[in-house]
Amino acid sequence: MPLLKVENLSISFRQYTKAFQQTALIVVRALDLSINPGEMVAIVGSSGSGKSLLAHAILGILPYNASMAGRLYYDDKPLDKKRVETLRGKEIVLVPQGITYLDPLMKAGRQIHNGQRGKAAHQKTLSILSRYGLDEKTAERYPFELSGGMARRVLISSAVYSEPRLVIADEPTPGLHIQAARRVLGHFREMAEKDAGVLLITHDLELARQTCDRIVVFYAGYTIEEALARDFDQVETLRHPYTRALWQAMPQNRFSAEDGRQPAAHINPEGCIYAPRCKDASDLCRQSIPYQPLRGGYVRCIRKEHYDT
Amino acid sequence: MILEANDISFRYHIGSAQILSQFNIRLQRDERVGLVAPSGYGKTTLLKILAGYENADSGSVLLDGRPIQDYKGYCPVQMIFQHPETVLNPRLKLAVSLKEAGLLPRRILDGLGIEDDWLTRYPAELSGGELQRFCIARALGEQTVFLLADEISTMLDLITQAQIWDFLLKELEMRHIGLLAVSHTMELIQRLTTRTVTLDQR
Amino acid sequence: MMNRRRRTLLLLLFAIIFLSAITIAGAMLEERATLTDFTQKNLPPDRTHLFGTDFMGRDMFARTISGLSLSIRIGLLTALISTLIAFLLGTAAATLGKGVDATISWLIDLTMGIPHILLLILISFAVGKGFMGVLIGITLSHWMSLARIIRSEVMQLQHSGYIRVAEKLGVRKALIVQRHMLPHLMPQLMIGFVLLFPHAILHEASITFLGFGLSPEQPAIGIILAESMRYLTMGYWWLAALPGLMLIITVLLFNLAGKALVKLNNPASAHL
């Protein structure tokens, strides 16, 4: 039974397109994914593909002018705004992107146990800190006294304190050296081994491939493919032409640049969102494209038999 | 032309950590150099000093034997930053920001895939990848001799990254512009550069 | 469709029309406001005298409107001068080096440290009360918070990435100020100006009421209210209530318009 299930999620924003004209801008169109307990799933996609919005939607913290449609299930029960408010920070936690999310006026220890008093809370804080190679002095420090790497570990510590069942990590590695990034992702892997579900939002495909179980690819507000991490070992096992182009563009592969770019949010082509860039696009691609299973994963491509090797 | 840093040291405040100490580097205009170091080792700071955005506490940065701060007007050493949205004025249409680099040939706009339609828009209306193309174009003004690239493709998707570097490498070669590039991805550095410098003192 | 931006625009338009109508009408009614007629003393509001008459038989409607008109003109002038002072000092503090900054910041702290109304009265009294007293008093006591905002805004702008880049691209200093700085400061100045306005009007009325402002011959709101105090116990409620209400409406309207402007300019609520 999946821990979290997202079905056909869409998100739109009310915006002023001209000075006095308000319209709804659809940014996320159709997202589908699921996470099982003990699993680490990566979401990869370029900026503007909707990956951070998904995290905000799950946590019920979308901005005031956003509205969403579609279904969210947690523990097989619908996850609505009221329910997520009781779970957020306890069963479901977010590890934010930047270390600026630490409260500059609060000691690290307090941020980890979230103000709980008593010896037990203190002991637990210290044991979590030591798990991440930090000593008890760290608990007494203010954020400005921490190095970037330490601050990141404090953020992770405060996330695991409540023993969450679902961890959402929003770009936890940019700006980190490769070894440091691997170490951070190692910590998330440990959480998964304790049976939590980990959702890793990243744009670093290589890192996702090395550390996660499954990879879901976002493109212009759609989930276009769900693959096993090992499917990325060679291009032939990938299911969608966009994913294949991504693979080819990796510096360690061919570093080849396919033409075109992700369409802007206000452009809404009929049918397949990738068709304008796709070499194999045909008239068939103008109809609406279902998200369907293929070889242990999913793909949103009508010509999937093309990629069925 | 040669860009060189001689024995430069730097720290942000008295009493804070020494970011650079007695660092030396020499760049020719026909080479492409990769700069590798763990995070927090002052790569961005070094690039800012080389481009004249910061002054070193001691030591000198010379372009053709002249201190970089002495170059008034268009600086021949141009830096491209990691986050394009921080270096574009949110209240200006992109055409105006672009114009600050002087007249750019059509070739550059086409090569970077900048569409005419984008020129009349504001930064908030475009994605980070699209904005970065403008920042790169702006750094390629006629008098640019050295280009300093601070993780310019980290926030981009792989395909955009490949597109941009594909164009940049050709452009740099054609105009004999020297490159100093910072990236965390060794595979990318190996694709781009002719040699690497490691910043591991501290 | 009606959305918040359109509502805000309508509110602003309404405020501007209301303000101009009072200003113009007040200037035209000035003669009537001082016209005495002892056969018509202390009349309650009726059709010929909408706001009633006072102890000298003067028409209170004419007096109220021309009083408000005077207040608005003084408010406009003082708000304008205060904004200008704030802009100049704020920019100077941010750009002319540490010494100038320290001096101006000290001046800001000093003036802010003295209670508002006390400072106003002191200045007004020192320059001999009357129109000039009010004008100088209000302008000298209202520029500080806006100057502080402008100062920090300019400081932030100077370090902003796009201005540093523009410098390295060889863009001239004057062009940087015109292209990159002014457009950022304009909304701040506008909002500052609009919000200063009701403040100025209220303070003009209050120091005049206390006797440190305009002279008693002028039909100022403060004078009207001060005079009416003496007749309140005699049951002549209209002398204070109606002019007071008009003053409150004017001030509230502008406060509302100013706050609406703030919301429009704040990116956190710009798309409501």
Side-chain angles (χ1 to χ4, degrees), chain B residues 129-146:
Chain B
E130 288 159 354
L131 295 180
Q132 191 63 298
R133 296 167 201 251
F134 279 95
C135 292
I136 294 169
R138 191 170 59 170
L140 288 171
E142 213 186 341
Q143 302 157 58
T144 301
V145 182
F146 286 97

Side-chain angles (χ1 to χ4, degrees), chain A residues 14-16 18-22 64-65, chain C residues 3-6 9 268-272:
Chain A
R14 227 167 352 103
Q15 267 190 334
Y16 286 94
K18 299 211 179 86
F20 297 106
Q21 243 172 56
Q22 225 173 14
Y64 64 92
N65 60 335
Chain C
N3 53 45
R4 219 204 49 203
R5 281 197 193 179
R6 288 189 187 173
L9 189 74
S269 56
H271 286 290
L272 264 177

Side-chain angles (χ1 to χ4, degrees), chain A residues 240-305:
Chain A
H240 195 282
Y242 173 67
T243 323
R244 291 191 171 197
L246 270 187
W247 191 92
Q248 300 284 14
M250 291 171 90
Q252 50 274 59
N253 298 329
R254 287 181 44 213
F255 201 39
S256 70
E258 177 158 304
D259 279 345
R261 64 190 65 86
Q262 178 174 283
H266 63 275
I267 294 165
N268 185 21
E270 284 281 288
C272 177
I273 188 82
Y274 187 67
R277 292 171 77 175
C278 184
K279 289 189 293 288
D280 300 314
S282 72
D283 283 350
L284 284 174
C285 301
R286 285 207 208 114
Q287 53 183 300
S288 84
I289 315 288
Y291 196 48
Q292 37 195 333
L294 179 69
R295 282 183 281 116
Y298 282 86
V299 66
R300 199 183 295 277
C301 179
I302 200 105
R303 292 165 70 85
K304 65 184 168 77
E305 63 287 349

Side-chain angles (χ1 to χ4, degrees), chain C residues 90-244:
Chain C
T91 319
T95 50
L96 297 183
K98 276 196 176 132
V100 177
D101 185 26
T103 315
I104 292 175
S105 296
W106 176 78
L107 210 61
I108 291 177
D109 291 339
L110 180 79
T111 7
M112 276 186 125
I114 305 171
H116 227 68
I117 195 83
L118 188 67
L119 182 68
L120 242 170
I121 291 173
L122 279 175
I123 299 175
S124 179
F125 195 73
V127 293
K129 302 199 276 187
F131 181 78
M132 279 317 270
V134 171
L135 192 72
I136 295 174
I138 296 179
T139 42
L140 289 189
S141 58
H142 279 77
W143 55 275
M144 295 86 70
S145 33
L146 186 59
R148 220 177 232 182
I149 293 173
I150 297 295
R151 170 181 171 270
S152 64
E153 196 80 3
V154 172
M155 279 184 161
Q156 217 171 19
L157 276 173
Q158 283 175 315
H159 290 113
S160 70
Y162 49 87
I163 287 183
R164 303 296 315 275
V165 169
E167 285 166 4
K168 287 289 160 207
L169 290 172
V171 180
R172 279 174 297 114
K173 196 113 196 161
L175 199 57
I176 288 180
V177 171
Q178 183 211 327
R179 186 184 282 165
H180 291 287
M181 290 194 170
L182 277 182
H184 272 264
L185 297 176
M186 266 332 271
Q188 299 283 1
L189 288 171
M190 271 249 303
I191 293 166
F193 173 72
V194 175
L195 286 179
L196 261 172
F197 195 80
H199 247 262
I201 292 181
L202 272 184
H203 278 130
E204 180 268 317
S206 55
I207 63 164
T208 304
F209 176 85
L210 291 171
F212 298 101
L214 300 177
S215 58
E217 312 89 66
Q218 280 166 306
I221 281 283
I223 301 283
I224 294 173
L225 291 177
E227 280 176 0
S228 66
M229 288 303 283
R230 276 175 261 153
Y231 297 90
L232 264 184
T233 47
M234 293 164 71
Y236 303 155
W237 57 271
W238 59 90
L239 291 183
L242 295 174

Side-chain angles (χ1 to χ4, degrees), chain B residues 1-62:
Chain B
M1 259 188 180
I2 291 169
L3 177 64
E4 56 189 325
N6 302 316
D7 292 329
I8 53 172
S9 300
F10 185 83
R11 58 182 172 178
Y12 275 99
H13 307 285
I14 294 163
S16 69
Q18 194 73 31
I19 309 247
L20 294 164
S21 62
Q22 312 265 306
F23 185 79
N24 289 287
I25 191 169
R26 235 175 109 84
L27 279 172
Q28 308 270 1
R29 60 182 297 184
D30 272 311
E31 59 178 354
R32 301 191 304 271
V33 179
L35 185 65
V36 185
S39 37
Y41 272 58
K43 299 185 294 283
T44 300
T45 309
L46 175 62
L47 293 202
K48 279 185 175 169
I49 292 172
L50 288 175
Y53 283 101
E54 301 275 1
N55 286 318
D57 298 334
S58 63
S60 60
V61 176
L62 304 175

Side-chain angles (χ1 to χ4, degrees), chain A residues 76 160 200 203 214:
Chain A
D76 241 11
V160 299
L200 173 75
H203 63 268
R214 280 185 296 137

